[in-house]
Amino acid sequence: GSLLRGKIIYGIPNQQGDILTWVGRDPKFETKHEKWLKLGQPEEGKPKKFQFVRGFHKSQELYGQNWHERMARKPGLKEAIHKYGLILVEGFNDMIALEQHGLAAVGVLSNHVSEGQIEKLLPWVRRLNNPRVLMWFDCTVDGDNGAREGLWQLSQHCNVRTMWSTSSH
């Protein structure tokens, strides 16, 4: 009966590295979603990929916003940021996978970048010698729309590019 029972659990740390909240991902989401699409169910019955704890405002946080802890733990991330830029992705696994490959990324926990997330991102980006952000959102219609919107918002503050789109790949 627990909120996160049967889910893959992610801890979301604040900028100091302390856990703000826990999030659960339904490992059966794809199967449930496919079934829901085939049955043509109403929008309110749509299965949820992620379960966030009530009261957590994901639009105000970034997954991986604990910059100093991450840079201390993986010193190569600082060099990767200077070489490639900071990569902005949608989700948890994207950020984790890129970090495992030595690339610095943060997740927006959605396919849209909020003003609050941009406010958290910009001070860090401005500290870099080469302030560049690469938007690496999912190659889907929703990912394209979010990247388009985020590209416009971020381009007013820093050098930003998208990695791909549904029309390019």
Side-chain angles (χ1 to χ4, degrees):
S2 168
L3 173 72
L4 302 176
R5 186 177 304 260
K7 308 276 194 291
I8 299 168
I9 308 298
Y10 299 88
I12 298 183
N14 63 14
Q15 290 173 306
Q16 294 75 34
D18 300 320
I19 296 295
L20 283 172
T21 192
W22 301 97
V23 176
R25 186 200 191 281
D26 185 351
K28 298 176 183 174
F29 168 77
E30 284 75 14
T31 304
K32 291 176 182 177
H33 189 254
E34 187 176 307
K35 183 179 176 183
W36 177 81
L37 287 173
K38 285 181 183 176
L39 295 173
Q41 298 293 320
E43 189 66 26
E44 64 267 5
K46 185 176 180 179
K48 292 182 181 180
K49 185 185 256 186
F50 292 99
Q51 183 71 44
F52 289 88
V53 173
R54 189 181 321 236
F56 175 69
H57 301 285
K58 68 180 184 173
S59 65
Q60 299 305 308
E61 307 298 338
L62 294 164
Y63 186 65
Q65 65 190 346
N66 52 328
W67 317 105
H68 300 295
E69 178 190 343
R70 290 174 60 212
M71 295 302 144
R73 193 176 64 235
K74 292 197 172 209
L77 291 180
K78 192 172 188 176
E79 288 76 27
I81 289 174
H82 289 292
K83 187 172 183 180
Y84 305 108
L86 180 64
I87 303 171
L88 196 61
V89 296
E90 289 185 23
F92 306 100
N93 292 336
D94 303 323
M95 182 251 154
I96 292 167
L98 288 170
E99 188 166 297
Q100 291 301 312
H101 289 287
L103 299 170
V106 291
V108 297
L109 309 172
S110 175
N111 50 26
H112 294 279
V113 185
S114 73
E115 288 295 325
Q117 291 169 324
I118 291 173
E119 287 176 21
K120 281 195 170 190
L121 184 67
L122 287 178
W124 179 255
V125 170
R126 288 181 179 136
R127 282 189 215 123
L128 305 172
N129 291 335
N130 184 11
R132 182 176 33 184
V133 175
L134 303 173
M135 294 187 72
W136 202 339
F137 281 16
D138 291 353
C139 201
T140 63
V141 172
D142 289 338
D144 278 2
N145 291 336
R148 203 175 288 117
E149 180 183 299
L151 184 65
W152 174 252
Q153 291 172 300
L154 282 164
S155 69
Q156 299 172 51
H157 305 284
C158 63
N159 179 5
V160 61
R161 294 189 58 171
T162 58
M163 295 294 290
W164 57 28
S165 70
T166 54
S167 61
S168 67
H169 290 78

